[in-house]
Amino acid sequence: MGVLNKCYLRFEKAFWPGDVDWLEHVPGTGPAWTQWVSLVRAAGLPVLLGFNAAQQGRDLEALGDTAIVASAMQSLRTIFGTQIPGPLDYQITRWGSDPFALGAYSFNALGAKPAMRDDLAAPLGARVFFAGEATMRHDFSSAHGALLSGRRAAAQLLQLRSR
Ligand SMILES: Cc1cc2nc3c(=O)[nH]c(=O)nc-3n(C[C@H](O)[C@H](O)[C@H](O)COP(=O)(O)OP(=O)(O)OC[C@H]3O[C@@H](n4cnc5c(N)ncnc54)[C@H](O)[C@@H]3O)c2cc1C
């Protein structure tokens, strides 16, 4: 399972350009925070959403909320200047340490083969059927992959009933 975490920051008003949805930043050093989404156009809210993936995401989610928000603000102050205001509120995901998720979604680790996903999808006898994005050869790591895997499991069940 890979990790992709989100940190939403809500401000009193937007201090970033209002005509873009995605803001990309290549930092010199320090915490990544390379990718931001503005919710101004999509939701009409002065909210910025920062992503952190893989090891960066794991490292950050081990920190407390205050440290994560401070790290995000450090990055935004590098991009927009030190005069920008602090957030009014925030929301943070920690998918890697969520006991019912243990990650954001599956990825193909070095040496992984498509057949491994077939193994995950293989029913146990005629009683237990598996769905979930990780069980898909194609469209894994996605919401539509998860949906299609559920349809596959349902079809397997219906096939069983019609025998
Ligand atoms: C930050 C982030 C961004 C994403 N962006 C996109 C995107 O832009 N486009 C896209 O298509 N996909 C995206 N995804 C991926 C997509 O959300 C997932 O691939 C999809 O939700 C996986 O669905 P699933 O049913 O396989 O698993 P899940 O949605 O994880 O469902 C598994 C369920 O099982 C429950 N569970 C776990 N253990 C137990 C247990 N022991 N007993 C009972 N219940 C249990 C969990 O609580 C959970 O509800 C994103 C995911 C993340 C985290």
Side-chain angles (χ1 to χ4, degrees):
M1 292 291 282
V3 164
L4 176 62
N5 275 318
K6 295 179 175 179
C7 172
Y8 293 88
L9 299 174
R10 182 164 62 83
F11 296 90
E12 194 177 349
K13 59 180 189 209
F15 52 79
W16 56 94
D19 59 343
V20 292
D21 299 319
W22 291 82
L23 299 139
E24 308 284 336
H25 169 62
V26 181
T29 55
W33 300 103
T34 54
Q35 200 168 51
W36 292 89
V37 172
S38 163
L39 298 196
V40 169
R41 291 207 301 190
L45 295 171
V47 170
L48 280 177
L49 155 60
F51 288 100
N52 278 288
Q55 194 56 45
Q56 188 73 51
R58 286 187 199 280
D59 291 346
L60 270 168
E61 78 171 55
L63 303 178
D65 288 7
T66 309
I68 294 175
V69 171
S71 166
M73 286 308 299
Q74 188 187 333
S75 171
L76 289 176
R77 292 198 166 108
T78 306
I79 304 169
F80 295 107
T82 51
Q83 78 291 348
I84 62 168
L88 299 177
D89 205 356
Y90 64 85
Q91 205 161 338
I92 292 167
T93 68
R94 287 183 173 83
W95 288 115
S97 41
D98 178 323
F100 291 115
L102 297 178
Y105 38 71
S106 69
F107 71 101
N108 287 333
L110 195 65
K113 296 190 170 59
M116 292 174 177
R117 293 186 182 273
D118 298 344
D119 291 343
L120 285 176
L124 290 179
R127 295 191 70 85
V128 184
F129 296 85
F130 294 98
E133 58 84 11
T135 68
M136 296 293 282
R137 251 181 196 246
H138 306 287
D139 306 308
F140 50 83
S141 310
S142 72
H144 58 281
L147 174 75
L148 293 172
S149 74
R151 288 186 180 160
R152 182 196 59 218
Q156 287 169 330
L157 278 168
L158 288 173
Q159 210 177 6
L160 200 69
R161 269 186 66 188
S162 64
R163 270 190 212 155

